[in-house]
């Protein structure tokens, strides 16, 4: 009996490690993500995040820091370049171009919000009714969207030409003494540019809103029609509330388009003579021959703070929806 017990003990001790190693191998074998998957996820998340930090947030933080200096893009930044809030004080009190540019940006925002965006929504509602030639009209309205604002500026510069442009010739004022200088008159050139901008913006909003209308459940409209609601009542009482997420996106897109406006105004007359905008002031002070990088960064910070209002509103809306 003693010999049997003694010889059986080692056998049990040999099986225990083999069972533990087998469990360990099984755990390693049946993981949800392989090593290749983990590397791929790290690249998909890490690479865009790195580029975002380097190309977006890095320059943003640098602009905030530079706004407190008088650096002129020459030599290193030292303690002597630090001027505190002097750039902001001069911006609000001594820089005569700031408030006209700020006002023009607000006019730009009001025009796109109250005129161009509702027109885009209106055309989307019309095309959603499956009228004859819907695809053709969609292509016609969306065609300006694929063009850059630089190209749009060149096109409308030709249309607004005083003597050779289509608009003055259509109005019959091209050969008369009362020729209208649409782009040279500071009283009307801003609104002329806004018409050109709306040509592109309307198509963009139309496509966004048309995609939202296609996702609305048709049974909601049928129920409203059974209850005796008119098309206008159905739209404002049923369809518009259902499309709340799309409406928020459109508002944010409109605000960003208005605040970052640059290309088309700069192409016309380099943002002068009634077309001053905050983005053009940033360019003229930071990148042009002036090289007032610190002062231009202060204008950029003001534009950033204004832009954060619709962005924060959009993010808060999304967070409340997900919650």
């Amino acid at each position: 009996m003693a010999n049997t017990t003694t010889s059986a003990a080692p056998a049990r001790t040999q099986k225990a490690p083999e069972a533990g190693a087998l469990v360990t191998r099984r755990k390693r074998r049946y993981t949800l993500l392989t090593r290749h998957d983990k590397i791929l996820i790290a690249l998909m998340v890490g690479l865009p995040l790195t580029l975002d930090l380097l190309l977006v947030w890095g320059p943003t933080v640098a602009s905030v820091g530079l706004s407190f200096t008088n650096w002129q893009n020459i030599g290193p930044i030292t303690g002597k370049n630090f001027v505190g809030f002097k750039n902001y004080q001069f911006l609000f009190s001594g820089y005569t171009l700031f408030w006209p540019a700020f006002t023009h940006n607000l006019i730009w925002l009001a025009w796109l919000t109250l005129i161009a965006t509702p027109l885009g929504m209106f055309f989307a509602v019309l095309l959603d009714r499956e009228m004859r030639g819907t695809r053709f009209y969609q292509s016609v309205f969306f065609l300006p969207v694929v063009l850059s604002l630089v190209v749009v500026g060149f096109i409308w510069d030709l249309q607004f030409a005083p003597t050779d442009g289509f608009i003055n010739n259509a109005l019959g004022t091209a050969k008369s003494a009362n020729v209208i200088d649409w782009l040279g008159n500071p009283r009307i050139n801003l609104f002329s540019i806004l018409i050109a901008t709306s040509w592109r913006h309307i198509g963009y909003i139309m496509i966004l809103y048309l995609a939202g209308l296609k996702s609305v459940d048709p049974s909601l409209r049928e129920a409203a029609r059974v209850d005796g609601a008119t098309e206008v009542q159905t739209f404002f009482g049923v369809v518009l509330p259902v499309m709340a997420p799309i409406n928020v996106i459109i508002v944010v897109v409109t605000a960003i388009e208005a605040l970052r406006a640059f290309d088309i105004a700069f192409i016309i007359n380099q943002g002068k003579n009634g077309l001053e905008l905050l983005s053009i002031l940033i360019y003229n002070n930071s990148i042009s021959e002036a090289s007032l990088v610190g002062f231009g960064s202060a204008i950029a910070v003001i534009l950033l703070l204004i832009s954060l209002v619709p962005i924060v509103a959009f993010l808060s809306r999304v967070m409340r929806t997900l919650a």
Side-chain angles (χ1 to χ4, degrees):
M1 293 295 293
N3 293 336
T4 306
T5 306
T6 319
S7 59
R12 291 177 181 176
T13 55
Q14 290 176 0
K15 291 180 180 180
E18 293 179 359
L22 182 60
V23 172
T24 304
R25 284 198 298 271
R26 286 179 179 175
K27 289 182 178 180
R28 292 177 181 176
R29 184 180 301 172
Y30 294 105
T31 54
L32 295 177
L33 297 176
T34 63
R35 183 178 180 182
H36 179 268
D37 293 335
K38 293 178 181 179
I39 295 175
L40 187 61
I41 292 175
L43 289 176
M44 293 177 64
V45 176
L47 186 59
L49 180 61
T50 302
L51 292 176
D52 186 61
L53 292 175
L54 291 177
L55 301 179
V56 178
W57 291 106
T60 301
V61 175
S63 296
V64 174
L66 289 172
S67 67
F68 297 102
T69 68
N70 60 0
W71 190 53
Q72 298 182 4
N73 201 21
I74 299 176
I77 301 176
T78 62
K80 296 180 180 180
N81 297 116
F82 183 77
V83 295
F85 290 93
K86 289 184 178 180
N87 286 330
Y88 294 96
Q89 292 176 357
F90 177 71
L91 183 65
F92 292 119
S93 60
Y95 192 47
T96 57
L97 296 177
F98 173 75
W99 289 113
F102 181 79
T103 305
H104 294 163
N105 272 102
L106 292 183
I107 295 174
W108 206 292
L109 177 60
W111 179 281
L112 294 185
T113 303
L114 302 177
I115 297 178
T117 297
L119 280 176
M121 293 180 176
F122 176 71
F123 289 138
V125 173
L126 289 181
L127 295 178
D128 186 55
R129 303 175 64 179
E130 300 297 337
M131 56 187 298
R132 179 178 296 181
T134 297
R135 295 187 180 275
F136 171 75
Y137 292 122
Q138 288 182 16
S139 302
V140 169
F141 282 111
F142 187 71
L143 181 62
V145 180
V146 302
L147 303 176
S148 68
L149 283 173
V150 176
V151 177
V152 173
F154 281 122
I155 292 174
W156 283 91
D157 192 12
L158 297 175
Q159 304 302 315
F160 283 125
T163 57
D164 300 327
F166 170 78
I167 296 178
N168 276 340
N169 280 279
L171 295 176
T173 59
K175 305 300 181 181
S176 66
N178 298 323
V179 60
I180 303 175
D181 190 1
W182 296 98
L183 301 178
N185 189 345
R187 296 181 179 180
I188 60 175
N189 58 2
L190 178 62
F191 298 98
S192 302
I193 295 300
L194 288 174
I195 293 174
T197 304
S198 302
W199 182 59
R200 183 178 183 271
H201 184 76
I202 287 173
Y204 186 35
I205 297 301
M206 183 202 69
I207 292 298
L208 289 177
Y209 211 72
L210 188 60
L213 288 172
K214 296 297 183 183
S215 63
V216 176
D217 189 357
S219 61
L220 297 176
R221 299 182 182 181
E222 292 293 336
R225 189 177 297 111
V226 170
D227 291 337
T230 62
E231 291 189 7
V232 177
Q233 292 173 340
T234 302
F235 177 76
F236 287 102
V238 178
V239 177
L240 196 62
V242 171
M243 295 182 60
I246 300 296
N247 296 330
V248 173
I249 293 175
I250 288 177
V251 169
V252 173
V253 167
T254 301
I256 293 176
E257 285 290 325
L259 294 174
R260 72 178 184 89
F262 173 83
D263 312 57
I264 190 169
F266 191 82
I267 286 297
I268 298 302
N269 62 358
Q270 296 184 349
K272 301 175 182 178
N273 192 29
L275 293 182
E276 295 83 1
L277 296 171
L278 291 178
S279 57
I280 294 178
L281 296 185
I282 296 171
Y283 173 83
N284 290 338
N285 286 279
S286 300
I287 305 177
S288 64
E289 297 178 357
S291 294
L292 301 176
V293 179
F295 183 68
S297 298
I299 306 175
V301 171
I302 298 299
L303 184 59
L304 173 64
L305 294 177
I306 299 173
S307 304
L308 284 177
V309 175
I311 294 174
V312 171
F314 171 71
L315 292 178
S316 62
R317 174 73 183 184
V318 171
M319 293 302 177
R320 286 198 300 268
T321 304
L322 295 177

